[in-house]
Amino acid sequence: QVQLVESGGGLVQAGGSLRLSCAASGRTFSSYAIDWFRQAPGKEREFVAFISVSGSITHYADSVKGRFTIARDNAKNTVYLQMNSLKPEDTAVYYCAAPKLPYANTWSQDRIGPWGQGTQVTVSS
C-alpha cells in the first residue's frame, strides 16, 4: 500500500481558495487511484473527490462540484485538491487515501485506507 501525507490546510475567509497536497511515499503511487474525504466536527466522514491512476477519470461530491478540482502529478508522487469559492460549510479535516487495491476505482470508505492524520481547513464567514 502507498503511504500518504496531507498538507496545505489553513484558515481562509469565505470565498477564498486553498490548495491541499497529498504526498505519497513509495514507488507504487502511480498504481493507485486517490480519494479525498473530509470530516466536520460532529459529522461522519464524507467523500469529496476521486482521481484515477492516469488522472483521466475524476468524480466529485455534489457539494463541491464546480468549486473543487482534483489533479495528480505522478512524477512528483502528489495529488492536489484545489478548493475555490470556499464556504463555511467546507470547514473540516481533509484526508486523502488510496483504495486498498491498486488500479481500483472506488470511493467507498470500506475499500479505502489506511487513513492519515488529515489537514484542517477552516473557512470563516
Side-chain angles (χ1 to χ4, degrees):
Q1 290 180 332
V2 62
Q3 302 300 314
L4 303 170
V5 177
E6 307 91 341
S7 64
L11 173 64
V12 64
Q13 289 187 334
S17 298
L18 280 175
R19 188 177 78 160
L20 305 184
S21 296
C22 174
S25 60
R27 298 173 294 175
T28 59
F29 171 76
S30 59
S31 301
Y32 287 85
I34 298 294
D35 295 273
W36 281 98
F37 281 74
R38 67 186 181 186
Q39 187 167 21
K43 295 187 177 181
E44 295 186 351
R45 186 163 52 199
E46 64 175 4
F47 168 75
V48 174
F50 162 87
I51 189 165
S52 62
V53 166
S54 67
S56 61
I57 301 172
T58 58
H59 178 64
Y60 299 91
D62 287 343
S63 58
V64 307
K65 200 171 294 183
R67 301 188 297 122
F68 290 13
T69 302
I70 189 170
R72 68 188 297 157
D73 185 339
N74 285 342
K76 295 183 178 180
N77 279 12
T78 303
V79 168
Y80 304 98
L81 185 67
Q82 178 67 43
M83 306 186 297
N84 298 329
S85 302
L86 283 162
K87 305 175 181 180
E89 51 263 43
D90 294 317
T91 295
V93 177
Y94 283 70
Y95 302 88
C96 64
K100 294 177 181 178
L101 296 177
Y103 301 103
N105 288 344
T106 183
W107 43 90
S108 175
Q109 291 195 54
D110 61 349
R111 300 180 182 181
I112 294 170
W115 300 92
Q117 296 299 310
T119 185
Q120 175 70 48
V121 171
T122 303
V123 184
S124 63
S125 57

